[in-house]
Structures are given as structure tokens and as C-alpha cells.
Amino acid sequence: MKDDKSNIAIFDTFKTRRNKFTGEAKRQRGIIAHLAMEQSPELRTRTSIAHAIAEQHGILWQNIYSGIFRDLDEVLIPAGVVKEGGRLPLRRGPKALQLEGVPFYELTDTGLLVASSIEDLGDRRMALLKSYVSSLPSSDAQCKAMRDGLLLLIDGAPAFITKVINEYIYAYSTGAINSIAPLETKKLRSVIAKQIAVERELVEAFVAFQPDQKDLVRNFFKVLS
């Protein structure tokens, strides 16, 4: 189990409104989404992140800066989702700060996986996931089957893969597993085996059906979806 203090909150909702994310969840989602999309180091500092998220929500950046600071330093960095990417030189301000520079941030491999669960990224989330999965090693038959299967289904059944990845990342966010990167067969199976039992049953049954039975199943889904 991870320390609760470093558990990411991107899936947290209000107890009385399960379909509404908490303020902390919104901030952390905003930070991760911003770092996933923004390339310029100058726009990946704490202040720039606060400006970007504040603009999206129509609020003053000063009102969320302390929350952004806390989310980065006390949650996302300890959890291994974000890391400091470097320091930008300062021309003004205290001399000590000029020497040290201002930190800018980037996503780790864990962060890239987490980003693929954030709806605000749209099509970008699947592109991030595909890029990450493509880089996985195929050192044995199981690893290769997982990697190749994920790559095929990312294109052919993205909603299913979104479910799989969300379950995996949710387990990480609650401390059920200690890490999500690198993505490994055993670790992924420990999280999603029960959750995808229905889909597995359907696929195995469909493969065994005769051609006319497969047509019946296709028509069944067509009229119901």
C-alpha cells in the first residue's frame, strides 16, 4: 500500500454527488492534462499551470496557486506521476531565486499512463497510451500478447481499453497497487481479471459460434445500441 498522503485524487467525487469531481480531483486532472499537452518549459511552471487551469474555470489564478503547489509537491511528485523537468533562469527577483531558477515540470511514464485516463485530453489520451504501449518490451510470450493485444484494441475497441486502463489507474490511485509503470502482465491481470470476466465470456462464446449465430449476435447488439 502507498502512503495515503501521496495517493492521487483524480477519481475522487463528493460523497453526496458521485458524478461530481472534488476540487482536488479537478486540479490534479488539470495539472496532468496541461503537462500532457504543453511542450514549452516556460508554460510548465507552477504559475503557468495555475494560469492555464484558472482560465479554463474562469477564476483568478491566485486563488488556486497554493492548491497547485500542494498538489505537485505533496501528491503528484511523491506518487511518481510528475517530476521536475529542469529550471528556468530568473532575471528578476531575489538573488537566491535567480541562481536557483524556477522549476518546470513534466510527466513521468506513470504520469503518461495516468493521463490516458483523463477525458479532457480527448483523442490525445489514446495517442499517449498507444505511444507508451508501443515502447513496452516483448521479452516473453505473455508480454508480447499483452502489448500486441492492447495496440490492436486501442484502435479497434477504444472504449474497452479505456475501461481497462481506468480500472488499473483507479487501483493505483487508491493504493491497491504500489505502481503502474512499467505496465506488466501480472500486475494488470491482478487488477482487471474480475472486471473483464463478462467481456472474456462474450469473446470466447462468439469465437465458438457458427457464422449464422455470429450474425444473430451482431444483430442483437445493433438493435440494442
Side-chain angles (χ1 to χ4, degrees):
M1 293 282 201
K2 301 199 310 296
D3 184 341
D4 287 342
K5 292 182 179 179
S6 65
N7 283 357
I8 58 176
I10 63 170
F11 294 108
D12 287 3
T13 57
F14 291 102
K15 291 182 179 179
T16 55
R17 300 180 67 181
R18 292 296 183 184
N19 62 339
K20 187 176 177 61
F21 289 122
T22 64
E24 187 179 15
K26 288 180 180 178
R27 283 198 316 270
Q28 291 183 17
R29 282 172 166 263
I31 292 169
I32 294 165
H34 182 79
L35 293 177
M37 293 186 291
E38 185 54 63
Q39 299 298 315
S40 171
E42 288 80 6
L43 297 178
R44 287 190 274 126
T45 64
R46 287 189 291 255
T47 301
S48 294
I49 294 169
H51 274 285
I53 295 175
E55 186 176 350
Q56 289 174 4
H57 296 283
I59 58 178
L60 294 174
W61 72 270
Q62 294 93 333
N63 291 346
I64 63 168
Y65 179 82
S66 61
I68 299 291
F69 193 110
R70 185 168 58 252
D71 287 328
L72 284 167
D73 284 18
E74 297 181 11
V75 181
L76 297 177
I77 292 176
V81 174
V82 173
K83 65 180 180 180
E84 187 175 305
R87 299 240 165 186
L88 298 173
L90 266 185
R91 296 180 180 177
R92 299 178 181 179
K95 188 172 182 180
L97 213 60
Q98 290 184 42
L99 292 173
E100 290 182 7
V102 175
F104 64 89
Y105 301 92
E106 61 187 33
L107 296 177
T108 62
D109 283 347
T110 293
L112 291 173
L113 271 177
V114 172
S116 70
S117 72
I118 296 177
E119 298 85 352
D120 293 348
L121 286 170
D123 293 339
R124 174 89 173 135
R125 59 194 294 210
M126 286 295 101
L128 287 170
L129 181 60
K130 191 170 186 178
S131 175
Y132 175 80
V133 172
S134 298
S135 70
L136 292 175
S138 54
S139 52
D140 56 50
Q142 285 195 344
C143 292
K144 187 176 189 306
M146 181 189 71
R147 187 194 66 182
D148 294 350
L150 284 171
L151 290 174
L152 176 65
L153 292 170
I154 284 171
D155 291 331
F160 171 68
I161 290 302
T162 294
K163 173 186 175 179
V164 167
I165 294 301
N166 280 8
E167 291 285 353
Y168 184 56
I169 295 167
Y170 179 77
Y172 172 69
S173 74
T174 59
I177 55 176
N178 290 324
S179 64
I180 54 175
L183 182 60
E184 298 170 341
T185 310
K186 183 178 180 180
K187 200 186 305 178
L188 183 60
R189 182 171 59 239
S190 72
V191 172
I192 69 164
K194 291 182 180 179
Q195 281 79 355
I196 64 170
V198 172
E199 289 88 346
R200 178 178 176 177
E201 179 187 55
L202 175 61
V203 169
E204 290 177 345
F206 188 79
V207 169
F209 286 153
Q210 297 299 315
D212 59 329
Q213 293 175 316
K214 290 180 179 179
D215 288 337
L216 283 174
V217 173
R218 291 190 187 98
N219 290 333
F220 171 78
F221 280 107
K222 282 180 182 178
V223 300
L224 292 180
S225 60

